[in-house]
Amino acid sequence: MRISLVCAMSVLLIVQSILPIYAYAENARVIEEIVVTARKKEESLQDVPFAVSAFRGDDLASAGYSELSQIGRITPGLYYETFDRTKPQLFIRGIGSRQYDAGSDPSVGVFLDGAYLGRFGALDLNLNDIERVEVLKGPQGTLYGRNTVGGAISVVTKDAPDTLAGSIVVEGGTSAVSGDDLFSIDAAIGGPIFENGSTAGLIVSHRKRDGYQPYQGFSAVGGSEDSLSIRGKFYFPITDELDLRLTADYSDFDGPPLVFIANSQLDDGTIQPISGTQLAPTPVELDPYNPALNVNAFTKKETKGLLARLSWARDNLEFHSITSYRELDTDELDDLDGSSLDILRFLANEESDQFSQELRFSYTTERLNLLLGAYYSKEEAMREDSLRYGADDFLATLFASLGLPGLDWTQDIEATSYAVFGQLEYSISDNTSFVLGLRQSRDEKEGQLSGAGLAAFGLGDYLADIDDDWDSFDPMISFRYHLTDEVMTYVTWASGYKSGALQYLAILPAAAQVSAAPEESENVEIGLKGTFFDRTLRLNAAAFRTQIEDLQALRVEPGSLIGVPVISNTGDATIEGFEVEGEYILSENISVDFNYAYLDATYDTFVTQFGDQRGNTLPRSPEHSWGVSVNTYHNVGSGQLLGRIGYSWRDEVFFEADNGELNAESGEGSIEFLDASLNYEVENWTIGVYGRNLTDERYVRSSFVTDGSGIAAAQVWSEPRTYGLRLKYNLGER
């Protein structure tokens, strides 16, 4: 079924007509205003003329959500799963990216305190001392610009407090898999450092988890973690009009990757591994929570960041300068065949650094808000990938006879981005306004790609220089109309763009010099945002239609002995849908959060080696998803008891464009999550318990192509039921 914008608008009007605006009932509690910076200024969530989901950091922590990927189960239209901590699978409204190499960029931009995170390995953040998370739906071409063809996620950390304050949080827990214990400790302190109002804050976090995929015969355990993160924030008021904010952060992650588990088509011989060696795992080896491997796999990740924000304000004028520098270093080893046979290993190392500078000037009057800006970034990335054939692979003999260790590729890439942008918002009347935004972008990528060991297959080793550049003009226009002081409707048209991509694991020398064109999208959205019943109900709804051209994807084409990976523009797609989310305060002690998303995401054009995939559903695009959570608040003794139970359901998804026709296991059926938490706050203390995935839903997060057919043959499995105890002590107010 395909929903039209006309029908969706009719639904919105019906909703508006049946929800009375008059006072509904006397209630001491009302909907709290959520202030966001989705449009690079502080404003109410209810005034933003496009769909945004926002979550307070303290609420996420109380619910037991500690990783950014976990908000996928409570955000309509967001699919966020991971292969591991360096390979996120992040999609908004069906648009995302499966790549994780140095020559490609995410289709959904992730921003930390306003700074763009360019590399895939930096996207899966820990939610330590977070002020809020904002999920912006649809292309954000004007203000965010770079590589936000599908949407953006903005993570805002807490500022240093004005008075001496701090906290210490200790957490312990376990999961349904025996031996999977977890422990974490977060310590934060901050306050004034000089009499002129300067403040400083520091948070140190340590997380340790034993893991839920113990490798048979090895000490490594998939899903385990040993990490440390440190963040310092400083605020300096230089004058009454000028101030400087500095942030420095460091994190170190060490933990084996999640294991690639061979599916049954590998077991019955339907699919051959990349080498051609027959793989026949036993049922024991196919157990995703007790896998049999022959490699002591690992994932190591180190990030460093510096950010300086200089702000000046006088009367109705403001100026902001945001300067960011980030480094990322990842090192990993995977067993690609997912069995006890020594067949195929994958090694990767990536080092990157990124500098960005954004300048913004704004002018505000009673009816006019004008913002002008410029953006520059430069990123250098070196990535090395290697395939090693083991003793159980007949190709090992070939490589040994040639004195070769295996196949090796490198990407040495420099990416530069420039943009100028502006946005004008004008109030035509007290209840009507329009917004016009424009952005001109230019992206340049140059570098050197190489392949070694390919001569053994008659393909030829190579060293190729490549450079390409792309320009994009992305406008946006929006009209907003307030039906009442509490109810706003809007219509927004916006375009988005993601820069082109260079090749990854290119087999043929000629293929290494071919780049993929940029992705481009256009989105029209009609929405309603309002609070009703004396501000006891917040209801936000949106209907949208997105057309995206030149989708980029890494495909594996069949080769003589090995598959031929190619990054190319696979086709165009049309995405239509409807989303609704809100909060309802039933009484002084009970409130309900709810959300629903309908998604019809299909290919308009897409021809592969398997045939025409036109009309098929885009990967990772569930048709229906919804969730509801009940929150309770009770005064108990001298403290307050806070409870939450949340249920969410997601429709089936496909991992490949064939929609399961070639491999029925290349996807996952509908799944449900049940989460719960209970916290007791008394004076400066909070003690809480939480449970994630209480029904112990075990499902396939994603699939991975391990052979030359292009058919997904190995799977990555989910976290089991996990629960924990959390103890927090507050020093002052943070």
Side-chain angles (χ1 to χ4, degrees), residues 501-628:
L502 305 185
Q503 290 301 320
Y504 175 54
L505 305 183
I507 298 294
L508 303 175
Q513 301 186 55
V514 178
S515 59
E519 293 181 353
E520 298 180 351
S521 66
E522 294 184 6
N523 179 68
V524 60
E525 180 173 307
I526 301 171
L528 176 145
K529 295 185 176 184
T531 54
F532 308 91
F533 304 156
D534 280 348
R535 296 185 62 82
T536 59
L537 171 67
R538 179 176 62 239
L539 180 68
N540 295 343
F544 58 90
R545 187 174 194 268
T546 304
Q547 291 183 293
I548 183 165
E549 298 180 353
D550 294 325
L551 285 161
Q552 298 172 9
L554 174 64
R555 295 185 293 168
V556 180
E557 303 286 352
S560 55
L561 287 175
I562 55 177
V564 181
V566 178
I567 295 178
S568 61
N569 299 103
T570 57
D572 306 331
T574 297
I575 304 169
E576 296 181 337
F578 177 79
E579 296 169 353
V580 60
E581 62 180 327
E583 178 185 4
Y584 184 45
I585 298 178
L586 291 172
S587 69
E588 181 70 20
N589 303 111
I590 301 175
S591 69
V592 178
D593 299 319
F594 55 90
N595 67 76
Y596 168 76
Y598 168 80
L599 192 61
D600 180 16
T602 57
Y603 286 106
D604 297 327
T605 59
F606 187 13
V607 178
T608 72
Q609 71 270 28
F610 303 116
D612 192 349
Q613 310 296 328
R614 178 176 48 190
N616 282 4
T617 299
L618 269 64
R620 298 163 178 84
S621 302
E623 183 176 13
H624 300 281
S625 57
W626 62 274
V628 61

Side-chain angles (χ1 to χ4, degrees), residues 302-320:
E302 184 180 55
T303 62
K304 303 172 185 177
L306 294 171
L307 186 142
R309 183 186 183 106
L310 185 67
S311 300
W312 174 87
R314 175 186 294 175
D315 299 327
N316 53 359
L317 299 175
E318 288 188 15
F319 171 80
H320 299 278

Side-chain angles (χ1 to χ4, degrees), residues 177-178 211-218 220-222 259-261 281-293 338-340 698 717-718 720:
V177 173
S178 177
Y212 50 87
Q213 286 186 307
Y215 301 180
Q216 295 182 28
F218 290 96
V221 183
V259 179
F260 297 126
I261 303 297
T282 67
V284 172
E285 291 177 340
L286 292 173
D287 181 358
Y289 298 95
N290 190 25
L293 303 180
S339 77
S340 59
R698 303 193 181 188
W717 284 72
S718 66

Side-chain angles (χ1 to χ4, degrees), residues 133-147:
V133 177
E134 302 171 12
V135 182
L136 289 61
K137 318 290 182 60
Q140 306 295 318
T142 301
L143 296 182
Y144 290 84
R146 188 162 192 252
N147 302 325

Side-chain angles (χ1 to χ4, degrees), residues 2-9 543-545 576-577:
R2 184 176 290 263
I3 186 169
S4 69
L5 289 178
V6 174
C7 292
M9 186 58 185
F544 58 90
R545 187 174 194 268
E576 296 181 337

Side-chain angles (χ1 to χ4, degrees), residues 75-375:
T75 307
L78 173 64
Y79 177 98
Y80 199 164
E81 298 283 1
T82 60
F83 279 130
D84 53 43
R85 285 300 187 96
T86 67
K87 305 177 187 67
Q89 306 292 288
L90 175 55
F91 289 70
I92 292 180
R93 292 177 175 175
I95 300 175
S97 177
R98 291 192 308 177
Q99 292 101 285
Y100 45 83
D101 61 283
S104 301
D105 297 300
S107 297
V108 174
V110 177
F111 297 80
L112 179 61
D113 287 331
Y116 173 71
L117 305 181
R119 297 281 24 101
F120 293 91
L123 302 189
D124 194 26
L125 302 170
N126 281 335
L127 300 178
N128 299 324
D129 210 39
I130 297 298
E131 182 67 34
R132 67 183 177 277
V133 177
E134 302 171 12
V135 182
L136 289 61
K137 318 290 182 60
Q140 306 295 318
T142 301
L143 296 182
Y144 290 84
R146 188 162 192 252
N147 302 325
T148 58
V149 67
I153 297 180
S154 175
V155 179
V156 181
T157 62
K158 290 183 177 180
D159 284 330
D162 296 330
T163 59
L164 180 62
S167 64
I168 184 167
V169 183
V170 179
E171 179 182 319
T174 189
S175 81
V177 173
S178 177
D180 180 22
D181 298 326
L182 59 96
F183 171 82
S184 70
I185 182 169
D186 299 345
I189 188 68
I193 54 175
F194 301 119
E195 292 183 356
N196 67 345
S198 297
T199 61
L202 177 70
I203 177 171
V204 180
S205 301
H206 174 63
R207 295 174 55 83
K208 186 173 180 59
R209 182 168 186 171
D210 294 328
Y212 50 87
Q213 286 186 307
Y215 301 180
Q216 295 182 28
F218 290 96
S219 60
V221 183
S224 64
E225 173 182 355
D226 189 354
S227 66
L228 172 69
S229 61
I230 304 171
R231 183 171 63 248
K233 301 195 78 170
F234 306 88
Y235 168 70
F236 303 98
I238 302 172
T239 68
D240 291 341
E241 300 170 341
L242 183 67
D243 62 65
L244 175 66
R245 285 178 167 84
L246 299 175
T247 303
D249 66 84
Y250 170 84
S251 68
D252 180 81
F253 174 90
D254 188 356
L258 298 175
V259 179
F260 297 126
I261 303 297
N263 66 25
S264 63
Q265 293 204 35
L266 274 172
D267 187 19
D268 64 17
T270 303
I271 301 175
Q272 298 291 323
I274 200 167
S275 66
T277 301
Q278 179 63 47
L279 175 64
T282 67
V284 172
E285 291 177 340
L286 292 173
D287 181 358
Y289 298 95
N290 190 25
L293 303 180
N294 54 56
V295 175
N296 210 20
F298 60 82
T299 298
K300 298 179 180 180
K301 180 173 70 171
E302 184 180 55
T303 62
K304 303 172 185 177
L306 294 171
L307 186 142
R309 183 186 183 106
L310 185 67
S311 300
W312 174 87
R314 175 186 294 175
D315 299 327
N316 53 359
L317 299 175
E318 288 188 15
F319 171 80
H320 299 278
S321 168
I322 302 174
T323 307
S324 173
Y325 176 78
R326 301 201 65 81
E327 292 183 0
L328 172 68
D329 186 356
T330 64
D331 194 14
E332 54 192 311
L333 169 65
D334 289 287
D335 182 345
L336 287 191
D337 56 83
S339 77
S340 59
L341 297 178
D342 186 8
I343 296 179
L344 189 61
R345 305 175 184 184
F346 174 76
L347 301 94
N349 175 261
E350 181 178 319
E351 297 180 6
S352 67
D353 60 76
Q354 176 186 347
F355 171 82
S356 67
Q357 175 65 58
E358 182 173 349
L359 302 174
R360 295 202 308 267
F361 170 82
S362 63
Y363 172 73
T364 305
T365 66
E366 184 177 353
R367 291 192 177 275
L368 175 69
N369 190 317
L370 175 65
L371 186 150
L372 300 173
Y375 177 81

